[in-house]
Amino acid sequence: MITSKQRAYLRSLANTMETILIIGKGGISDEIIVQADEALSAREIFKGKVLETANKNAKEIANIIANRTNSDIVQVIGTKFVLYRKNNKDPRVILPK
């Protein structure tokens, strides 16, 4: 679980990030979960987007992906969401205490 101070730091990092995961009318498939898991392992944090054609809203999709990848939701704004999961082997993001 991340603190509000850590969440604010992660939001600032995500502000300049490109969206790397896009969910459309196909919804959440096993491939989407694998992509999200690989992105979290490689980057620790990533930004995703939910298209209007998706069958769920961004908050619901972020919750599902976070649960299936054991990650934390940093933020959900409109159609975009940011997820974070610490990589204990090769940390790239150093969170404030």
Side-chain angles (χ1 to χ4, degrees), residues 45-63:
I45 184 172
F46 77 88
K47 188 185 290 187
K49 180 177 181 173
V50 179
L51 300 178
E52 292 178 12
T53 57
N55 56 357
K56 293 183 179 2
N57 65 34
K59 188 168 185 102
E60 293 170 327
I61 287 179
N63 277 323

Side-chain angles (χ1 to χ4, degrees), residues 14-82:
N15 198 22
T16 58
M17 294 178 90
E18 293 292 321
T19 303
I20 63 166
L21 185 69
I22 299 175
I23 300 13
K25 67 180 179 183
I28 300 173
S29 63
D30 290 337
E31 294 149 358
I32 293 288
I33 299 301
V34 168
Q35 286 178 5
D37 192 51
E38 288 173 355
L40 288 165
S41 294
R43 301 171 179 233
E44 292 185 304
I45 184 172
F46 77 88
K47 188 185 290 187
K49 180 177 181 173
V50 179
L51 300 178
E52 292 178 12
T53 57
N55 56 357
K56 293 183 179 2
N57 65 34
K59 188 168 185 102
E60 293 170 327
I61 287 179
N63 277 323
I64 293 167
I65 295 173
N67 286 335
R68 291 187 59 190
T69 59
N70 296 320
S71 58
D72 291 309
I73 299 173
V74 175
Q75 72 178 358
V76 179
I77 297 179
T79 61
K80 296 195 177 185
F81 62 92
V82 178

